[in-house]
Amino acid sequence: MTPDEFRLHGHALIEWIASYRERAQSGQFDVIPRTAPWPAGEPVQPGALRARLPAEAPQQPEEFAAVLADLDRLILPACTHWQDPRFFGYFPSNGLFSAVLGDLASTGLGQLGLNWQASPALTELEEVTTDWLRRMLGLSESWRGVIHDTASSATLVALVCARERTSDFAATARGLAASDAPLVVYTSSQSHSSVEKAALIAGFGRAQLRSIVVDEAFAMRADALEQAIRADRAAGLKPCAIVATTGTTATTALDPIADCARIAADHGLWLHVDAAMAGSAMIVPECRGLWDGIEGADSLVVNPHKWLGVSFDCSAYYVRDPQHLVRTMSSNPSYLRTATDAVATSYRDWGVPLGRRMRALKLWFVLREQGVMGLQARIRRDLASARWLAAQVDAPEAQAAGWRRIAPVPLQTVCVRHEPPALCGDGAALDRHTLDWVGRINASGQAWLTPGIVDGRWIVRVAIGAEATQLQHVREVWALMRQTAEQAGG
Ligand code: PLP
């Protein structure tokens, strides 16, 4: 492709993306993909796109215009529309236009950060943008940031560092055999599955992962945490790390970070805080009490690729002491050595991959295009929408119709269940009812909600925060929920 052809197709693609966003954000698609003819078709089934694609790559070059045309013909009909204002599933994953352009600029520059020399701009922009974000989050100057792909990677790195600090860096030298006693990780029963995965990959083993009970607000119980640590120590095990969560996935519960930090300090454990989704809220000062005590943590992760508006993937990992990262993960083959190694940051030693792309560009674009105040306004809008919905569920009329709010609403997710009187006391029937009404809504394409299990029973999460979601869309989904569930419940 020549530069002129690139200009031609690039402009066409930008136009296509702008038009797609306009259509998605004005609700012109069903939120989930459906088979033609729209809107009457059935939800797309697994294999639908594969069946339409050739089994092999083309032998001869194709016209690029044909590739672009297939975005509409093949790809779009198999996409779930996360940018639709009626997307209330999982968590918000906003990719603001400025982030889209930042990603394009990053790929266009084609930088690869193997060390500072391989792309000075990549390293230094990452240092600066993670520091901007640190200030926005209200964190002290003692934190240093790095951008990972995901929170899962960041938590893995945290646990590997915890393992090394506890073993006095013996495991990096001699492997797991170096440990005279099994190392133990503590996390709440509500923490994200990535914590368990990280503990397994980091070599702790499932038997050494303690699932600490939670209180009525689904937050880790500090007394139970401390008891478990004492019991393990008495049994000859080595307590190593606590992974606390600010904003759990199911209900946005808030583990008591100050208590966890005190316990970690008293017992010499590493404290990692998973604020993957909720961390974005800390850019508004009134939310910072939700992770009170954060300065006592050793590491934390916030995903700007969730609620902040930076397109996936962009996960900001902060540590107090980067030397733990470097001592644990430093690799220094001759072909990567440069004269600046002693004075410049080498981010390859701060995580798993050697090659790193310029993710900081999209964060930089978003922070500059939105400004801190613009981002704060959007977070506050979503917090207010969630409070509005919680108030509707709590209102006497909704209560009389069987609606229950299942958890506190400190952030943007409202967890509900519809409990028709006829089903009270029959948990299995209640579960069927919940999955039935949420399934109907999702299959209709008029909204997307994700159910989850809390306290052994299915509930429905309404995760507010897509860029285009205004209060009006929350009003509409609440009306749809009432209509669907109350009809289904008889
Ligand atoms: N931690 C929490 C609290 C989450 O909600 C999620 C995503 O759902 C994750 C971690 C995993 O995020 P990532 O996809 O960046 O690994």
Side-chain angles (χ1 to χ4, degrees):
M1 194 182 289
T2 65
D4 274 342
E5 286 168 338
F6 177 73
R7 277 190 189 94
L8 184 74
H9 299 312
H11 287 147
L13 182 61
I14 294 286
E15 171 52 37
W16 186 88
I17 295 170
S19 152
Y20 165 66
R21 287 297 181 92
E22 277 170 350
R23 287 180 289 160
Q25 298 197 339
S26 58
Q28 286 185 31
F29 300 107
D30 291 318
V31 184
I32 52 156
R34 306 167 72 91
T35 53
W38 298 279
E42 292 297 309
V44 159
Q45 296 301 310
L49 174 60
R50 276 203 314 274
R52 300 184 70 192
L53 292 172
E56 285 182 28
Q59 295 295 324
Q60 299 295 329
E62 293 186 44
E63 286 298 321
F64 198 74
V67 182
L68 286 186
D70 280 350
L71 275 179
D72 271 316
R73 195 173 67 88
L74 296 171
I75 303 300
L76 201 51
C79 283
T80 298
H81 301 292
W82 286 66
Q83 310 304 320
D84 188 306
R86 302 163 302 167
F87 186 95
F88 297 100
Y90 308 110
F91 45 80
S93 181
N94 294 319
L96 303 184
F97 277 136
S98 44
V100 175
L101 293 176
D103 246 347
L104 182 62
S106 164
T107 312
L109 283 168
Q111 299 290 287
L112 198 60
L114 308 176
N115 50 29
W116 176 87
Q117 188 67 69
S119 178
L122 186 152
T123 300
E124 295 188 20
L125 191 65
E126 190 159 330
E127 290 180 309
V128 170
T129 51
T130 51
D131 204 53
W132 283 9
L133 184 61
R134 172 191 68 74
R135 289 166 194 264
M136 290 167 62
L137 298 171
L139 296 169
S140 75
E141 283 187 357
S142 62
W143 296 94
R144 298 276 309 277
V146 54
I147 302 179
H148 284 311
D149 54 354
T150 59
S152 303
S153 297
T155 297
L156 170 61
V157 165
L159 288 187
V160 169
C161 286
R163 187 189 77 191
E164 291 312 305
R165 191 175 74 176
T166 304
S167 68
D168 200 17
F169 296 89
T172 36
R174 291 189 286 125
L176 293 181
S179 183
D180 49 357
L183 306 180
V184 189
V185 177
Y186 304 82
T187 194
S188 98
S189 61
Q190 297 294 305
S191 69
H192 190 261
S193 56
S194 56
V195 179
E196 180 181 11
K197 196 186 248 187
L200 299 186
I201 297 174
F204 289 88
R206 197 168 269 125
Q208 273 71 246
L209 180 65
R210 299 282 174 271
S211 176
I212 305 298
V213 291
V214 293
D215 62 17
E216 64 291 343
F218 306 105
M220 179 149 61
R221 270 182 41 199
D223 60 328
L225 170 66
E226 192 153 22
Q227 246 174 36
I229 292 172
R230 286 187 197 286
D232 282 334
R233 185 149 280 148
L237 307 179
K238 253 193 202 166
C240 171
I242 302 166
V243 181
T245 311
T246 295
T248 58
T249 311
T251 66
T252 63
L254 306 156
D255 288 345
I257 304 299
D259 288 339
C260 292
R262 177 188 52 77
I263 293 168
D266 287 353
H267 296 270
L269 275 70
W270 184 285
L271 174 60
H272 173 64
V273 176
D274 175 1
M277 210 289 298
S280 296
M282 303 310 162
I283 69 165
V284 298
E286 62 269 28
C287 282
R288 291 187 194 147
L290 301 180
W291 70 3
D292 187 36
I294 191 68
E295 291 294 328
D298 293 284
S299 57
L300 68 98
V301 61
V302 173
N303 279 353
H305 71 221
K306 285 193 159 77
W307 194 8
L308 204 62
V310 183
S311 48
F312 193 86
D313 51 355
C314 181
S315 181
Y317 177 58
Y318 288 91
V319 287
R320 287 197 165 279
D321 183 0
Q323 276 315 306
H324 286 123
L325 300 167
V326 176
R327 276 188 74 180
T328 305
M329 289 178 290
S330 171
S331 56
N332 199 19
S334 55
Y335 45 82
L336 291 178
R337 286 182 209 155
T338 69
T340 59
D341 287 352
V343 289
T345 300
S346 205
Y347 273 132
R348 72 166 184 272
D349 295 339
W350 293 43
V352 177
L354 163 61
R356 317 181 70 255
R357 60 198 201 88
M358 205 168 183
R359 291 193 186 92
L361 257 184
K362 58 186 168 184
L363 179 57
W364 194 51
F365 275 30
V366 167
L367 298 184
R368 293 185 63 186
E369 188 260 338
Q370 293 284 307
V372 177
M373 289 171 73
L375 293 169
Q376 285 174 329
R378 198 166 44 71
I379 297 277
R380 288 191 175 114
R381 176 200 69 178
D382 298 339
L383 293 169
S385 292
R387 281 195 298 271
W388 179 87
L389 180 57
Q392 306 310 303
V393 177
D394 292 348
E397 193 214 341
Q399 294 284 305
W403 288 94
R404 303 283 174 262
R405 187 163 53 77
I406 301 302
V409 181
L411 292 160
Q412 46 54 270
T413 300
V414 183
C415 295
V416 300
R417 191 160 46 224
H418 179 243
E419 301 180 349
L423 302 184
C424 274
D426 184 346
L430 204 52
D431 279 349
R432 281 196 298 278
H433 172 60
T434 305
L435 294 177
D436 175 41
W437 69 258
V438 73
R440 288 184 200 209
I441 289 179
N442 288 344
S444 79
Q446 295 310 297
W448 180 265
L449 304 160
T450 32
I453 295 179
V454 170
D455 262 351
R457 287 267 83 86
W458 283 97
I459 58 114
V460 175
R461 301 164 65 258
V462 186
I464 297 165
E467 181 197 357
T469 304
Q470 304 287 347
L471 181 58
Q472 182 55 28
H473 301 105
V474 181
R475 287 182 192 279
E476 285 165 9
V477 78
W478 172 232
L480 183 63
M481 287 161 65
R482 291 204 61 170
Q483 190 192 11
T484 312
E486 289 170 24
Q487 270 172 11

